[in-house]
Amino acid sequence: MNPVLNPVLGRRQLIAGGLAGGAAAVGLSACSDGGGGGSAEGATLQFYLSGDANQGGGYQHMATKYEEETGVHIEIVDVANDDLQTRLRNAALADDLPALARPGAFDPQWMNACRDLTEIAESTGAMTDLSVIDESGRVLSLPSDVTAVGLFLNKSLFDAAGETYPQSEDEIWTWDEFVATVKRVQESTETSYGMVMDRTSHRLKAFLYEFGSDAFMADDNDEYQTNENTKPALEYFYDLNDDSFMPRSVWLSDGDPNALFKSGDVVSYLSGSWQIADFEENIADFEWVSVYLPTQPVRATNFGNAANIVVFEGDQSDAAYDFINWLYQPENYTELSETSGFLPAVEGLQISYESNQEFFDLYNAEIEACDPIAGEVKAQELVQQAEGLQIEGDPLRDEVVRYLNDEQDVDATIQNIKDQLTQALTSIR
């Protein structure tokens, strides 16, 4: 396979309007860059993370390699994603944090226990545009990898129906064209559902961006706003959730979209780049492909750091720091990316994937072409994290679920999202 050059450096025009510098100009009580304990041979360091097994076991692979080289044992503690934040919060309250972790977001309960990772970032080329940085420039996290929302198709069903799908940027569907095509495939192959979509605001934001919405962002008064394109986008999404094209069980009762797509009885799946490794390993009954996201009319995905790598202060801080410094060295981080199927969060690397190179290339192209709104929203989220502001719950997802369940109309849904986000933000300022 030909290697792919990490395109993030080429995304500066997209990131500059949102991410670049955004996380650096915030207030935060200082995290110490000191640490206790050395990295003596024979030490055991706990590393809390989520989903390693689903992405090829890359962290476990690298932990094993590190132990062979240094004698330091990295114990991978793979916690369910929904439980990881709670696990870390409880550990902080009990003064029993692990040596290091890979959380999805920062929590005020433990963020001031983070160690400064500036020197690692500067020496390795880690993408600090996706890091949480305090006002003095301390890098409190490193992005574990880059992810983006994307679309998967059951290619076998498309072939059986004699339908084609976009294979170049000139052929990208509108949402109307995508839905019409998938419905034809669904009818021709007598497949139960045309589409499933992960029940998360992360996926929903990509959908909203594609309809010209700017999702929900706080203004200078900490009041959340949205634009006029959000309402028609949500109405379109409501119509898709009709228990025929999309199963209502996914968004209304936590049905598993991943399992439904793997069953072969769904034509398409709106998810993301992290699924490539899983599908390569676990889908054997049909062919699948990753394709360009539809537009309506905006070309956008939702991208950012998949998670944050943090090192906690304590007796094992130096040993954990040494491991992360080793992990982000070009040779090792390249191996991690190739093993886990990561879009790399270290600049300038040549990543040669064992398979599905064209799909990773496609995701890189999607990020490169993405409307700037995705970077602007991500930048605001990073600023809030660095300020210790962690909004509880997910008002965007939860209020849309109420709308889909006919508990309220679309106007009430939008107003409730704005009100809840604003109230949550102002209450923790």
Side-chain angles (χ1 to χ4, degrees):
M1 295 290 181
N2 293 326
V4 58
L5 179 65
N6 178 17
V8 175
L9 278 171
R11 302 173 195 155
R12 295 298 187 189
Q13 71 278 13
L14 169 63
I15 295 175
L19 296 182
V26 298
L28 179 71
S29 53
C31 290
S32 169
D33 65 351
S39 53
E41 182 176 349
T44 296
L45 310 179
Q46 283 196 328
F47 185 3
Y48 284 15
L49 49 69
S50 179
D52 188 42
N54 293 335
Q55 292 191 307
Y59 285 104
Q60 183 59 68
H61 172 77
M62 299 310 293
T64 300
K65 179 180 179 181
Y66 188 69
E67 183 171 10
E68 291 173 351
E69 292 186 12
T70 68
V72 178
H73 177 61
I74 309 296
E75 180 187 354
I76 303 295
V77 182
D78 202 332
V79 182
N81 187 59
D82 291 343
D83 298 330
L84 183 56
Q85 292 290 86
T86 301
R87 184 88 171 257
L88 287 173
R89 179 177 296 182
N90 290 341
L93 289 169
D95 195 23
D96 190 29
L97 283 165
L100 63 160
R102 182 180 178 255
F106 269 54
D107 191 305
Q109 198 68 51
W110 51 256
M111 66 180 302
N112 289 336
C114 297
R115 180 164 176 174
D116 181 17
L117 304 177
T118 300
E119 290 186 7
I120 296 177
E122 291 177 347
S123 65
T124 64
M127 290 178 56
T128 52
D129 286 333
L130 296 176
S131 294
V132 176
I133 305 174
D134 74 7
E135 62 182 357
S136 65
R138 290 188 176 96
V139 177
L140 306 180
S141 71
L142 300 177
S144 63
D145 57 300
V146 177
T147 64
V149 172
L151 181 63
F152 296 91
L153 303 179
N154 184 319
K155 181 179 181 299
S156 297
L157 293 176
F158 265 76
D159 291 345
E163 294 285 349
T164 60
Y165 50 85
Q167 299 188 52
S168 73
E169 297 182 61
D170 295 334
E171 300 173 346
I172 292 175
W173 282 313
T174 65
W175 267 95
D176 292 338
E177 292 168 338
F178 162 71
V179 170
T181 303
V182 170
K183 284 183 175 179
R184 291 196 299 270
V185 174
Q186 185 183 355
E187 180 179 1
S188 174
T189 58
E190 298 183 346
T191 303
S192 294
Y193 298 110
M195 174 183 169
V196 287
M197 173 179 169
D198 294 332
R199 184 181 184 265
T200 73
S201 59
H202 187 72
R203 244 62 83 230
L204 185 58
K205 285 177 184 176
F207 181 88
L208 294 176
Y209 298 152
E210 289 155 6
F211 281 73
S213 168
D214 56 11
F216 295 84
M217 293 184 68
D219 62 18
D220 293 340
N221 297 316
D222 285 345
E223 295 181 358
Y224 275 83
Q225 308 293 342
T226 191
N227 67 8
E228 70 279 1
N229 295 320
T230 300
K231 180 177 179 177
L234 289 177
E235 290 173 331
Y236 198 102
F237 187 58
Y238 178 95
D239 291 340
L240 295 181
N241 280 271
D242 61 358
D243 234 4
S244 174
F245 186 77
M246 286 180 67
R248 287 166 60 83
S249 62
V250 172
W251 273 71
L252 297 185
S253 57
D254 271 339
D256 186 350
N258 179 286
L260 283 168
F261 183 71
K262 287 178 181 176
S263 74
D265 201 26
V266 178
V267 179
S268 62
Y269 181 20
L270 188 67
S271 189
S273 55
W274 54 92
Q275 300 285 12
I276 294 175
D278 179 29
F279 291 170
E280 174 68 21
E281 181 71 22
N282 296 309
I283 293 181
D285 296 334
F286 61 89
E287 288 187 78
W288 56 274
V289 292
S290 189
V291 298
Y292 295 99
L293 286 163
T295 65
Q296 196 89 354
V298 176
R299 186 171 179 190
T301 181
N302 194 15
F303 72 94
N305 54 328
N308 305 278
I309 295 292
V310 295
V311 171
F312 294 117
E313 296 289 4
D315 293 342
Q316 296 182 317
S317 177
D318 282 350
Y321 184 95
D322 289 345
F323 169 65
I324 295 304
N325 186 48
W326 174 89
L327 184 66
Y328 275 77
Q329 295 304 310
E331 177 184 353
N332 296 321
Y333 189 84
T334 295
E335 188 170 342
L336 172 66
S337 297
E338 292 174 348
T339 303
S340 290
F342 284 167
L343 299 177
V346 172
E347 295 170 340
L349 296 185
Q350 298 273 338
I351 308 298
S352 183
Y353 300 100
E354 183 176 348
S355 58
N356 301 313
Q357 184 81 38
E358 68 277 19
F359 300 152
F360 291 103
D361 291 345
L362 185 148
Y363 273 99
N364 289 330
E366 291 278 56
I367 295 171
E368 182 72 28
C370 180
D371 189 90
I373 185 60
E376 294 165 10
V377 172
K378 183 64 179 177
Q380 185 170 91
E381 293 171 353
L382 286 170
V383 168
Q384 291 172 351
Q385 288 183 36
E387 290 180 326
L389 305 177
Q390 182 66 32
I391 294 176
E392 296 290 340
D394 191 343
L396 173 56
R397 179 200 62 200
D398 295 344
E399 291 303 310
V400 168
V401 167
R402 292 182 63 196
Y403 170 48
L404 296 177
N405 202 35
D406 296 319
E407 298 175 35
Q408 60 194 19
D409 64 20
V410 66
D411 292 316
T413 298
I414 292 171
Q415 190 61 50
N416 287 346
I417 293 168
K418 293 193 295 185
D419 289 347
Q420 289 182 32
L421 287 170
T422 298
Q423 182 179 6
L425 181 60
T426 55
S427 68
I428 55 181
R429 277 288 187 190

